Structures are given as structure tokens and as C-alpha cells.
Amino acid sequence: MFPLLLALAASPPATAMLAPDAEARWVPFELTANNHILFSLTLNGKPATAILDTGMTDTMVSERFAAVAGLKSRQRQRGTAIGGQVAIGWTAGPVFVIGGLTRSGGRIGIAPMETPAEANVVTADMLIGADILSCCALDIDYPGRRFRIIPSGRMPFTGFTAPLAHGRGRSIWVTELAIAGTRLRPMLIDTGDGTWLSLTRPAWLSTGYHGSAVTTTLGYGLGGPSVTEAAVIPNATIAGTDTGEAEIRIEEANGYSGRAGLAGRIGSALLMRFRILFDVKAGHMVLQPAAPNAAPYIRSTSGLLMGYAENMLRVLHVMRGSPAAQGGWRAGDTICAANGTPITDAASAQALSGWTAGMPGTIVRLTLCDGTERTLTLRKFY
């Protein structure tokens, strides 16, 4: 779910075997509200939920699930994640079965994976990283909500081809893209990042793009929350293919991507516009554009980023230059009703929160939980 980079360390050898009918063993998945690929697998014969996360150098299990499965840490290490450093415990790799792949041996990490409830992030028992997925080719059919792990060298569909390689001796996968004609590399392929594109500030400045206002936004990583600048561009290109409108998150030079030696990351919000074959052994990825009605970028017109908690919406971040910022809203403000309708549970909060990206010019009447009332006029601001 969250990118994580660790230095390679000696570990027991792992064995990966594909079933003869691996190509027929599609794994269905749910695409969560945060664009994470959530699916089921077995670990030592026990059912588990997992998120497919190519941004992880190593596969992780949550501390909670490790206790249930009887997995114990044998050594500890600190890893670099979005939001900060994370303490990782290591244990001998159990037996995984994912579709047609059976993998045993090696090592897996044990990490805290809880996020604040207000972040509304779906958690899972495991994060399946690039260490396991690099054995073979990975075919993700985003439109069909399914994936499969197949032998390297196969070409199950046609499309545009881009380079794919391991990043700096790590198991992660990197490629390249272009923005405003500027070639950017290495770009991490990160199915566990639910956003669109992230760039280091030097990489962003190198594009010379000035067509959009820059605001701020909030994200969550394994190391906690982080605030970055953000802008929306009309398109990027991968293998000469137009990606369509996308949000760029701009990280400081010493942020996660910069420390990892990356120009940036390609997240699942962008990847899901394609059916994609990742084959790092063959040195390429193949992209087939999805249906024209692929999910568009939804632009906030309020500037309020919120999470649900205890029958209210709590403001987690106020975007710079937004109507909310100009109206004096602050992180920590709480909303108990919108346009006279009270928030009674998570479902009502979700139903009522559509106004945050509503039609510019709309006036929204918001009742704070202290009984005061404010109005907010929506507009396009980035």
C-alpha cells in the first residue's frame, strides 16, 4: 500500500514455481477507494487479504496478522517510507499461493501498517512487493479487475512498449516517461501508491511546465502523513502514449523519491487507465489503453481534504490558495452537517462529501460541530 525501500541484505534463498496452467489462474481484485489492488491469497494454508504493491522492495505482513499466523521477528531494521522511517522485523518466508504462483523461503518483513481511521485507507494483512512479483511477468487487467502471474517472455496482448528494469540493484521496477517533452527517469512503478504521479522538485522544474497553479495536498505512507505541493497537467507520455490529465505531487529534493535516487513515481491512479504487462526479466512493460471512459482526475473545488470520524468530517488539510484557505478553514475543524443534512455514519459522510469537488460557483452551507455555520463558494483554483 505504501512505497518502502530497504537496502539488500543476505537472506535465505526463495523458491518460486508457476503452475502449468498459470495463465488461466486469474486473481480477481477489488479496487479500493484509494486505488489499491485488494485481493485474497493463502499463507501457510491460512486465508489472508493482500494489496499488490510494486513500490515495496520486500513483501510485508502486518504486525497484527503476524501474531495470528505465528510469525516472529528474528532481526530488525529501519526502512525508508513515505512519511518517515519505519521499524521492520524479519522472519523466514512462509508459503504463499497467489493465482498460479507458489513461493516459499526467502524472507518477509513484519511492519506496523495501521493508519489513522480518519485517513479512510483500507488496510490488509499483507503487502505483496516486487521481490515476489519479479520472478515472472505480471498482467494487470485493470478494466476487468483481475491480474495473473505468468511466465516471463509471454505477450498476451498488444500495446505500446516501455522499458522496465530493476532500480539500483533493488527488486523495485523503474521506467521512464516524458512531461512537456522532457524525459524523466528513473520513475518507480508503484501499484501501492493510489495517486497519479509524484516528482522530485528538481525533476518537476526540469520540465519547465508553467501551465497550472500549484497548491498543496496530503498523503499517507507507511511512515505517516506527508504534505506536498501539487499541480494538474494535461498529459504525460509513456512509450509515446498520452496518459491524459494527471495530478503531479511535487516532493522536496530530500524527500522519499530523492533519497531513493528516483525522479519520481507512477501511481495506480494513472496505471489503471491501461491494461499493463510488467515483465522485468524481459526488460519491458506493455500498455494497452483502457476504455475511453477511464476514471478522470477529480479536482477539488473546495480545498478541504477530510476524513470521517465519529459522525463528523474532520478537516485533515486545507489546500493552499483554495476557497477554504481564503475562508479561514484550518486542519482540525469538524463538520457535522452539510446543507442542513446531518452526518450520522460513514455512509452518510460519503454521500454528503461530493460537494468538495462540486460545480464551481456552488455555495455550500456547512454546520460545524460547535454549532456555528459557514458558507463556502466552490471554484477552480488549480
Side-chain angles (χ1 to χ4, degrees), residues 341-360:
T341 302
I343 297 166
T344 56
D345 53 25
S348 66
Q350 183 176 6
L352 289 172
S353 60
W355 58 265
T356 62
M359 182 69 66

Side-chain angles (χ1 to χ4, degrees), residues 298-315:
I298 299 176
R299 192 187 306 259
S300 173
T301 51
S302 64
L304 290 175
L305 303 182
M306 300 175 294
Y308 170 77
E310 299 176 355
N311 298 336
M312 64 184 177
L313 288 170
R314 183 183 299 277
V315 176

Side-chain angles (χ1 to χ4, degrees), residues 206-229:
S206 75
T207 69
Y209 183 76
H210 299 290
S212 300
V214 178
T215 182
T216 56
T217 191
L218 176 69
Y220 285 88
L222 202 60
S226 61
V227 175
T228 60
E229 290 190 325

Side-chain angles (χ1 to χ4, degrees), residues 215-217 297-307 313-331 333 335 338-339 352-366 374-382:
T215 182
T216 56
T217 191
Y297 173 73
I298 299 176
R299 192 187 306 259
S300 173
T301 51
S302 64
L304 290 175
L305 303 182
M306 300 175 294
L313 288 170
R314 183 183 299 277
V315 176
L316 304 177
H317 179 71
V318 180
M319 301 172 73
R320 188 174 68 204
S322 67
Q326 293 181 350
W329 288 80
R330 298 286 183 269
D333 287 344
I335 299 170
N339 292 322
L352 289 172
S353 60
W355 58 265
T356 62
M359 182 69 66
T362 301
I363 299 175
V364 183
R365 182 165 51 88
L366 300 169
R374 299 182 190 174
T375 59
L376 188 62
T377 302
L378 308 181
R379 65 175 172 82
K380 183 177 176 180
F381 62 94
Y382 71 109

Side-chain angles (χ1 to χ4, degrees), residues 66-328:
V68 172
L71 303 175
K72 297 182 179 180
S73 299
R74 297 184 178 179
Q75 61 182 113
R76 299 189 71 82
Q77 180 185 3
R78 295 193 70 80
T80 301
I82 292 177
Q85 294 284 301
V86 181
I88 307 295
W90 296 106
T91 188
V95 178
F96 299 97
V97 179
I98 308 172
L101 173 69
T102 300
R103 198 257 200 187
S104 60
R107 69 174 187 176
I108 61 170
I110 300 174
M113 294 185 190
E114 292 71 23
T115 58
E118 295 173 353
N120 298 326
V121 174
V122 174
T123 57
D125 299 322
M126 303 184 61
L127 305 177
I128 301 298
D131 56 330
I132 288 179
L133 300 170
S134 293
C135 71
C136 316
L138 173 64
D139 178 3
I140 304 181
D141 179 7
Y142 276 103
R145 300 293 189 264
R146 60 181 188 167
F147 72 86
R148 59 181 174 174
I149 301 171
I150 62 177
S152 174
R154 291 281 292 115
M155 191 72 73
F157 59 89
T158 59
F160 301 93
T161 301
L164 189 69
H166 286 302
R168 287 196 172 186
R170 298 184 176 102
S171 58
I172 54 171
W173 305 339
V174 296
T175 188
E176 60 185 51
L177 57 74
I179 295 175
T182 301
R183 187 181 181 191
L184 300 171
R185 60 178 182 173
M187 294 291 297
L188 174 66
I189 296 291
D190 192 356
T191 60
D193 184 341
T195 62
W196 298 74
L197 290 169
S198 297
L199 295 179
T200 65
R201 186 172 298 281
W204 167 248
L205 293 175
S206 75
T207 69
Y209 183 76
H210 299 290
S212 300
V214 178
T215 182
T216 56
T217 191
L218 176 69
Y220 285 88
L222 202 60
S226 61
V227 175
T228 60
E229 290 190 325
V232 177
I233 60 172
N235 71 294
T237 56
I238 303 176
T241 306
D242 190 328
T243 64
E245 189 175 56
E247 180 193 74
I248 302 286
R249 298 198 174 195
I250 306 162
E251 302 176 344
E252 294 304 322
N254 64 349
Y256 173 82
S257 294
R259 294 198 307 274
L262 303 166
R265 306 187 304 279
I266 303 174
S268 59
L270 186 69
L271 295 173
M272 62 192 282
R273 289 186 168 176
F274 303 90
R275 177 179 175 181
I276 309 182
L277 177 75
F278 298 107
D279 192 343
V280 70
K281 285 189 173 181
H284 62 237
M285 55 188 280
V286 181
L287 300 91
Q288 184 181 79
N293 60 353
Y297 173 73
I298 299 176
R299 192 187 306 259
S300 173
T301 51
S302 64
L304 290 175
L305 303 182
M306 300 175 294
Y308 170 77
E310 299 176 355
N311 298 336
M312 64 184 177
L313 288 170
R314 183 183 299 277
V315 176
L316 304 177
H317 179 71
V318 180
M319 301 172 73
R320 188 174 68 204
S322 67
Q326 293 181 350

